[in-house]
Amino acid sequence: GAVVSQHPSRVICKSGTSVKIECRSLDFQATTMFWYRQFPKKSLMLMATSNEGSKATYEQGVEKDKFLINHASLTLSTLTVTSAHPEDSSFYICSARARLTGNTEAFFGQGTRLTVV
Amino acid sequence: AQTVTQSQPEMSVQEAETVTLSCTYDTSESDYYLFWYKQPPSRQMILVIRQEAYKQQNATENRFSVNFQKAAKSFSLKISDSQLGDAAMYFCAYVNSGGGADGLTFGKGTHLIIQP
């Protein structure tokens, strides 16, 4: 199957700083990438959808100024958590959908565990 | 909005036996896809099986099969000959068909325990 690489896998940052998480599709072009958040022992909640070259679409209740998403190319999307606070600590997962094939299967990255201290 | 419900927070099964995980969903759409994902302790999401709503035949992947009841909006996963490596969180997920612009809607998950 297609490979989606997400980095870093773990990050610890100080409160008030910003953290960038990268999501790359390694062997396919992704027109659409998705960012999810998963709290401990909970399900995945869709945060936003990003399409290459356009602004991300955020789900209701997700602060677009706090969670900046950039999808500058068909293989890379980034999520920046700005002015992070302890309540932003969570597991963030990206997924990517393949271009052209109309494939509705979404391939997932390995996830990033963010801890804000 | 679509919703996905998994009513079993935890299930336990003896190794080599069969277990069924339940999932129901709510949608007003007629064309969509349903998935079962496995999330082991590594937290990597792994696709187990996929079902297109327009297909009446239930999907099967080796030891994994689904019972898709479109009218009842039910999508259960059967795992036959359970193995220790099957232990994980299992999430049922839904997405509208067409366009590929929609993210997945997940259920709350079922923690599957395999007893040796």
Side-chain angles (χ1 to χ4, degrees):
Chain A
V3 178
V4 174
S5 178
Q6 185 175 341
H7 290 283
S9 58
R10 291 174 180 264
V11 59
I12 301 173
C13 71
K14 291 184 177 180
S15 186
T17 63
S18 296
V19 174
K20 180 183 285 188
I21 303 169
E22 291 189 349
C23 180
R24 294 180 183 273
S25 56
L26 297 186
D27 51 1
F28 68 99
Q29 292 184 322
T31 48
T32 306
M33 288 187 172
F34 306 90
W35 288 95
Y36 296 86
R37 182 173 181 175
Q38 186 178 29
F39 289 102
K41 299 186 179 181
K42 297 291 186 182
S43 187
L44 284 74
M45 300 299 295
L46 180 65
M47 297 175 65
T49 302
S50 74
N51 293 293
E52 183 259 340
S54 63
K55 289 185 177 180
T57 302
Y58 291 81
E59 295 298 303
Q60 193 171 12
V62 177
E63 299 176 62
K64 59 181 67 177
D65 293 332
K66 166 165 278 296
F67 300 100
L68 300 180
I69 292 172
N70 183 277
H71 192 160
S73 76
L74 284 170
T75 60
L76 174 64
S77 177
T78 59
L79 167 67
T80 301
V81 183
T82 63
S83 186
H85 291 286
E87 57 266 30
D88 299 324
S89 298
S90 192
F91 192 69
Y92 295 88
I93 308 176
C94 71
S95 74
R97 188 163 286 149
R99 175 185 173 87
L100 298 180
T101 64
N103 190 340
T104 54
E105 179 180 347
F107 303 98
F108 285 85
Q110 309 95 314
T112 297
R113 182 184 302 278
L114 171 63
T115 303
V116 184
V117 298
Chain B
Q2 294 81 19
T3 59
V4 177
T5 302
Q6 292 179 251
S7 58
Q8 305 155 317
E10 186 173 281
M11 291 284 284
S12 181
V13 64
Q14 291 288 127
E15 193 176 2
E17 306 225 322
T18 296
V19 63
T20 298
L21 307 185
S22 301
C23 173
T24 59
Y25 59 94
D26 189 25
T27 182
S28 58
E29 302 290 331
S30 60
D31 202 9
Y32 47 87
Y33 294 82
L34 295 163
F35 306 86
W36 278 97
Y37 280 91
K38 171 184 177 181
Q39 188 180 43
S42 68
R43 304 191 79 169
Q44 173 72 56
M45 296 293 285
I46 301 167
L47 178 65
V48 175
I49 200 165
R50 178 175 87 166
Q51 175 80 44
E52 289 91 339
Y54 66 86
K55 290 186 177 178
Q56 291 187 337
Q57 187 173 7
N58 289 323
T60 299
E61 288 288 341
N62 300 314
R63 299 183 295 107
F64 299 88
S65 61
V66 298
N67 183 3
F68 173 49
Q69 301 290 327
K70 190 172 184 179
K73 296 181 181 175
S74 171
F75 182 61
S76 61
L77 174 70
K78 185 171 82 171
I79 305 174
S80 304
D81 185 24
S82 298
Q83 299 176 1
L84 294 177
D86 295 333
M89 283 292 294
Y90 285 82
F91 292 98
C92 179
Y94 168 104
V95 70
N96 290 326
S97 68
D102 295 336
L104 296 171
T105 299
F106 286 90
K108 292 186 175 183
T110 297
H111 181 209
L112 179 62
I113 298 167
I114 310 295
Q115 306 277 9

